[in-house]
Amino acid sequence: MNESAILHIPDSQYCFAVGEKKLVIRLRMAKEDADASVTLIYAGKYQFQQSREQIPMEIRYTDRLYHYYETTLVLTDVRLAYVFCIRQQGTTYYFCEDGVVLQYDFAEGFYNFFQMPYINRNDVLPTVKWMKSAVFYQIFVDRFFCGNTKKDRSYINMEWGALPTPKSFAGGDLCGIIEKLDYLKELGITAIYLTPIFRSISNHKYDTMDYMQIDPQFGTKEEFGELVRMAHAHGIRIVLDAVFNHCSMQMQQFCDVMEKGAESLYYDWFLIDGAYPVPSRANYECFAECTYMPKLDTANPEVQEYLIGIACYWIREYGIDGWRLDVSDEVSHVFWRRFREAVKKEKADAVIIGENWHDAYPYLRGDQYDSIMNYAFTKACLDYFARKTFDAKQMAEKLSSNLMRNMEPVNRMMLNLLDSHDTHRFYSEVGENPDRLLAALALEMVFPGAPCIYYGTEICTPGGYDPDSRRCFDWEKVHTDTDVRKKLTELTHIRSCTAITDGNVELAAENGMLCVRRKAGGEGVSLYINMTEEQRRQEHCLKADSKVLSAHRASVLPAAGDGKMTCGVCVEPEGYLIVREQREALD
């Protein structure tokens, strides 16, 4: 047995509460030890020596190196003690805080059992309920639609639809989004994530000058209030971009420091080497190497109060539904803890989504973010659908590995995206192949978490890296290029299935196809994706009364005349099939 591969960490992503008396426990083991059987031995912490219960653990996830065993306990005593019993090839082992041992003294278990000391109610990470069925739509405001035809247009320096440059202004605004809310609702969108809307000199607005003012290019506070009200009336939530890592060098507080140096009341708001900040010398910390975006010192209590006040203001006064946190992994943990407490107090179901491109577990333990922009999902999709460096088995393993980074409630709130304003357009990455795009969108809709559609994906907008990924929305294509948009609309409407909103997930490769299954409440949804170069058929994998929810280049095979009342699937290259089965078919 490969002892070095065995891992369990109490009170972590390997042991976490999903309710006041409900606990998920995971154990990692090497794949070569798949013949081992694992049993969890457990009891209330103060009864462990006298009597214990046992429950078998099943392999729930598999990645390239490991199997992950999992079980869920419903407890009567929230003070839990437990060890793992591993049986392999006739030998019984125990895994506890001392590691793997051949004998275990239960009478002295208080020295070395694993424990969940106590499930405190306020330590349970709640799922933001509306996120379970949400479909996000990310809008880069300047390039979506210009609705206010009477505004000052003197700042606009490009024709709508021309290729953008870093300094291009196209004229998109908040009125334009209001005007297109019916379109977004029809598309199946339930949440809009807006890139920054506050006062700034750039087209992207990530260099904020004034967090309390809507940029005049985009509109007014009154128009923003109307957007939130109208969006809510359409069943669509609004999430704003919080750029709290850095600001514009033209922000009032930084200008004061530029003028007064160390004598400024705001000198300690920034991280400056010397008495005065000097942009030409870059003697202060900034975002990346952009001296026009000085970094705020979020460890400073005054800065914390200022920024938290801004976050609460836009929730309290305008009813926004959450924040996406820009460059969130470079901001103080202490700040995010204070931020979460204040935001959740203002609006309990406001979502907090960090922009962490990498494993963000330290931020996702329930005291900071709800989730992150899931760029690990993006990368896996690029490897599978675009670059084809993954086959179905490798894709299933990679997705499983990503899920094992976090607790289940976090996975259910992840913002799963194929692309964004910071990446190449996914449609271009797949060689402008609409079949591959649709297959990836199908996975995005069925996978745990909330899918996020980058504006224009539904009309196959191409684009390379920034600024090319920030092209104008071509509204003429809405009337001409309808195939992908119609299929995406079909996909977004399956998000309300109970199996997808509340179900567990199984990932596997079968006959060269990626298979994703979700099950809950007597309902099952199965997705089959074929990224091989050959047609793939699989017999007897569905009940005869299975319902097709969405299909592209795929079909259900008729039931065989063998008395089993089952049918199969047939998926063409770069096709997908999503089917639903009800309780009687699952039993």
Side-chain angles (χ1 to χ4, degrees):
M1 187 167 59
N2 184 350
E3 293 186 30
S4 63
I6 301 176
L7 179 66
H8 177 77
I9 305 170
D11 199 7
S12 74
Q13 70 269 49
Y14 286 87
C15 176
F16 54 90
V18 291
E20 292 184 28
K21 293 186 177 181
K22 196 172 183 180
L23 195 69
V24 175
I25 294 180
R26 295 171 176 164
L27 177 71
R28 190 189 77 183
M29 291 188 66
K31 285 175 71 172
E32 61 262 31
D33 291 324
D35 61 331
S37 64
V38 178
T39 301
L40 182 71
I41 302 175
Y42 67 98
K45 184 166 63 172
Y46 299 106
Q47 289 79 45
F48 189 79
Q49 287 85 351
Q50 290 76 38
S51 62
R52 296 159 294 279
E53 297 184 63
Q54 299 187 18
I55 186 171
M57 300 185 69
E58 298 179 352
I59 296 173
R60 284 288 311 279
Y61 305 92
T62 297
D63 64 18
R64 190 172 66 87
L65 298 176
Y66 307 110
H67 286 311
Y68 297 86
Y69 295 77
E70 184 178 286
T71 192
T72 301
L73 300 177
V74 178
L75 306 174
T76 55
D77 188 338
V78 295
R79 303 161 298 184
L80 187 73
Y82 58 97
V83 297
F84 301 92
C85 177
I86 304 171
R87 295 182 176 88
Q88 186 181 43
Q89 298 179 6
T91 303
T92 298
Y93 307 88
Y94 296 93
F95 181 57
C96 60
E97 285 190 342
D98 287 343
V100 176
V101 296
L102 287 170
Q103 303 291 332
Y104 187 78
D105 187 349
F106 289 95
E108 292 194 346
F110 47 80
Y111 282 117
N112 57 5
F113 52 52
F114 293 114
Q115 66 165 339
M116 171 60 80
Y118 193 93
I119 300 176
N120 287 284
R121 183 174 65 254
N122 59 353
D123 287 335
V124 178
L125 174 61
T127 301
V128 176
K129 290 182 180 179
W130 60 266
M131 285 288 287
K132 295 194 299 181
S133 59
V135 179
F136 276 76
Y137 192 85
Q138 182 191 354
I139 295 177
F140 190 86
V141 182
D142 185 62
R143 310 291 158 74
F144 186 62
F145 186 65
C146 179
N148 185 354
T149 58
K150 297 180 180 180
K151 68 181 178 181
D152 177 6
R153 300 173 61 85
S154 61
Y155 72 95
I156 299 174
N157 61 6
M158 68 174 288
E159 292 291 328
W160 193 267
L163 292 180
T165 72
K167 303 295 185 181
S168 294
F169 291 87
D173 53 31
L174 300 179
C175 288
I177 300 172
I178 293 172
E179 191 169 329
K180 297 300 182 181
L181 285 173
D182 286 341
Y183 166 82
L184 294 175
K185 183 177 179 62
E186 181 183 349
L187 190 63
I189 302 305
T190 64
I192 297 173
Y193 151 40
L194 297 175
T195 53
I197 62 172
F198 305 127
R199 189 162 174 258
S200 163
I201 63 170
S202 67
N203 56 40
H204 54 73
K205 314 300 180 191
Y206 280 97
D207 48 346
T208 306
M209 294 169 59
D210 188 343
Y211 294 93
M212 297 299 290
Q213 297 298 324
I214 304 294
D215 193 282
Q217 295 174 358
F218 292 167
T220 64
K221 283 186 173 180
E222 290 73 23
E223 288 166 343
F224 178 68
E226 181 68 7
L227 170 61
V228 176
R229 286 190 295 273
M230 290 295 294
H232 286 173
H234 282 72
I236 298 173
R237 299 177 188 262
I238 299 291
V239 173
L240 295 185
D241 212 320
V243 189
F244 291 164
N245 173 69
H246 54 271
C247 62
S248 168
M249 65 183 297
Q250 296 190 29
M251 189 170 104
Q252 174 189 347
Q253 290 85 346
F254 192 76
C255 288
D256 193 75
V257 178
M258 291 274 287
E259 177 186 349
K260 300 175 184 176
E263 300 302 314
S264 170
L265 294 175
Y266 305 108
Y267 179 82
D268 291 333
W269 282 37
F270 306 94
L271 299 153
I272 305 165
D273 181 12
Y276 287 84
V278 183
S280 61
R281 294 211 329 259
N283 68 327
Y284 52 89
E285 293 191 27
C286 55
F287 167 65
E289 297 178 354
C290 303
T291 57
Y292 65 92
M293 289 191 275
K295 181 177 174 64
L296 289 157
D297 183 4
T298 50
N300 182 328
E302 290 183 7
V303 174
Q304 293 176 10
E305 292 290 341
Y306 173 73
L307 297 177
I308 289 170
I310 290 163
C312 292
Y313 169 83
W314 291 99
I315 295 174
R316 182 172 58 252
E317 299 299 324
Y318 293 90
I320 69 166
D321 301 288
W323 290 98
R324 178 264 191 188
L325 314 175
D326 190 55
V327 200
S328 49
D329 53 355
E330 295 186 23
V331 175
S332 159
H333 286 281
V334 171
F335 172 73
W336 289 137
R337 292 186 182 103
R338 291 193 61 195
F339 177 91
R340 180 184 182 85
E341 184 176 359
V343 164
K344 294 295 186 179
K345 184 177 180 181
E346 199 70 51
K347 190 172 189 177
D349 69 346
V351 72
I352 302 173
I353 304 169
E355 188 213 5
N356 290 49
W357 285 57
H358 305 278
D359 187 346
Y361 176 69
Y363 297 85
L364 294 169
R365 300 199 60 185
D367 59 343
Q368 296 173 68
Y369 323 151
D370 291 313
S371 68
I372 61 171
M373 298 181 75
N374 195 357
Y375 281 108
F377 177 84
T378 310
K379 178 60 165 59
C381 288
L382 288 170
D383 286 334
Y384 184 53
F385 296 105
R387 294 159 192 161
K388 294 194 173 183
T389 53
F390 282 171
D391 60 19
K393 178 174 177 291
Q394 291 168 315
M395 183 61 165
E397 291 173 346
K398 186 60 178 178
L399 293 174
S400 293
S401 179
N402 291 345
L403 287 172
M404 290 298 94
R405 290 178 175 181
N406 299 301
M407 299 180 289
E408 181 182 306
V410 172
N411 287 330
R412 293 183 183 276
M413 294 186 286
M414 281 288 194
L415 194 69
N416 298 330
L417 63 159
L418 298 176
D419 49 12
S420 74
H421 65 293
D422 284 328
T423 72
H424 294 66
R425 286 272 184 172
F426 195 80
Y427 180 60
S428 290
E429 292 279 50
V430 295
E432 299 191 3
N433 182 323
D435 298 330
R436 293 194 207 175
L437 174 62
L438 284 171
L441 288 168
L443 174 62
E444 194 179 13
M445 294 299 154
V446 173
F447 196 71
C452 184
I453 309 303
Y454 189 37
Y455 77 102
T457 296
E458 70 273 28
I459 55 169
C460 296
T461 301
Y465 189 63
D466 168 24
D468 196 39
S469 61
R470 304 173 182 184
R471 297 188 190 188
C472 297
F473 193 108
D474 186 347
W475 287 99
E476 290 300 316
K477 282 191 173 183
V478 170
H479 306 294
T480 56
D481 295 352
T482 60
D483 291 345
V484 170
R485 181 170 60 85
K486 286 181 177 179
K487 189 60 67 173
L488 176 57
T489 303
E490 181 179 279
L491 285 168
T492 60
H493 284 83
I494 73 170
R495 289 282 302 166
S496 59
C497 292
T498 301
I500 292 176
T501 59
D502 298 301
N504 57 23
V505 60
E506 298 175 7
L507 298 158
E510 297 176 8
N511 194 26
M513 293 185 289
L514 174 66
C515 301
V516 183
R517 295 186 175 90
R518 307 292 304 275
K519 294 179 182 179
E523 180 181 78
V525 170
S526 298
L527 165 65
Y528 299 85
I529 296 176
N530 178 15
M531 289 302 295
T532 73
E533 297 180 357
E534 300 175 351
Q535 181 192 85
R536 297 288 174 169
R537 298 166 67 94
Q538 188 157 321
E539 309 285 347
H540 307 309
C541 58
L542 300 173
K543 292 292 184 181
D545 59 354
S546 298
K547 179 182 179 182
V548 175
L549 298 178
S550 182
H552 180 67
R553 296 174 55 80
S555 60
V556 172
L557 298 172
D562 56 5
K564 295 182 180 179
M565 289 301 293
T566 60
C567 54
V569 301
C570 177
V571 186
E572 300 294 335
E574 300 177 348
Y576 75 83
L577 177 69
I578 303 175
V579 295
R580 178 172 63 192
E581 297 176 279
Q582 298 300 326
R583 177 181 297 276
E584 59 270 16
L586 295 174
D587 290 341

